[in-house]
Amino acid sequence: MAIVIVKKTATPTQAVTPSQQKRTIGHAKPLPFNKADLLKPGRLKPGHLMTLFGISHSTLYKRRADGLIPPPDLKEYGRPLWFTSTIAPFFGVKG
């Protein structure tokens, strides 16, 4: 008796649209930022502050709670944002 091996054909996969992607909620991630850009007007996310201060997300939020980092200037969609003019004095940058 002969054995016949049949390969399954792959079923076509559907493209995943951004609305179908699983949204993951996690800690802030460090974002690239140059200290020279503190002279320019702009907004900073927690990840930018983590890069500037060289700290982790937990240290950032602990320092905020202790008052060592100023409270955010505004919140956009529930996320804290700081103006560069608020953070610049911590690095000796005067605008």
Side-chain angles (χ1 to χ4, degrees):
M1 178 187 278
I3 299 174
V4 179
I5 298 175
V6 179
K7 288 186 177 181
K8 285 187 170 183
T9 59
T11 57
T13 58
Q14 293 178 336
V16 178
T17 60
S19 62
Q20 293 173 330
Q21 290 177 344
K22 183 177 179 182
R23 183 174 167 214
T24 58
I25 298 174
H27 298 294
K29 307 283 187 278
L31 299 172
F33 194 79
N34 189 353
K35 289 181 185 177
D37 291 335
L38 288 173
L39 292 170
K40 302 174 187 174
R43 299 179 187 181
L44 301 174
K45 296 178 181 178
H48 294 125
L49 293 183
M50 290 168 53
T51 300
L52 286 169
F53 287 108
I55 56 178
S56 68
H57 70 275
S58 57
T59 304
L60 173 71
Y61 292 110
K62 184 173 181 339
R63 289 186 184 179
R64 270 184 58 196
D66 293 343
L68 299 174
I69 294 178
D73 294 312
L74 60 105
K75 285 195 174 190
E76 188 173 81
Y77 301 107
R79 295 184 178 117
L81 295 173
W82 291 262
F83 295 126
T84 53
S85 59
T86 303
I87 301 301
F90 285 90
F91 296 95
V93 177
K94 295 181 181 178

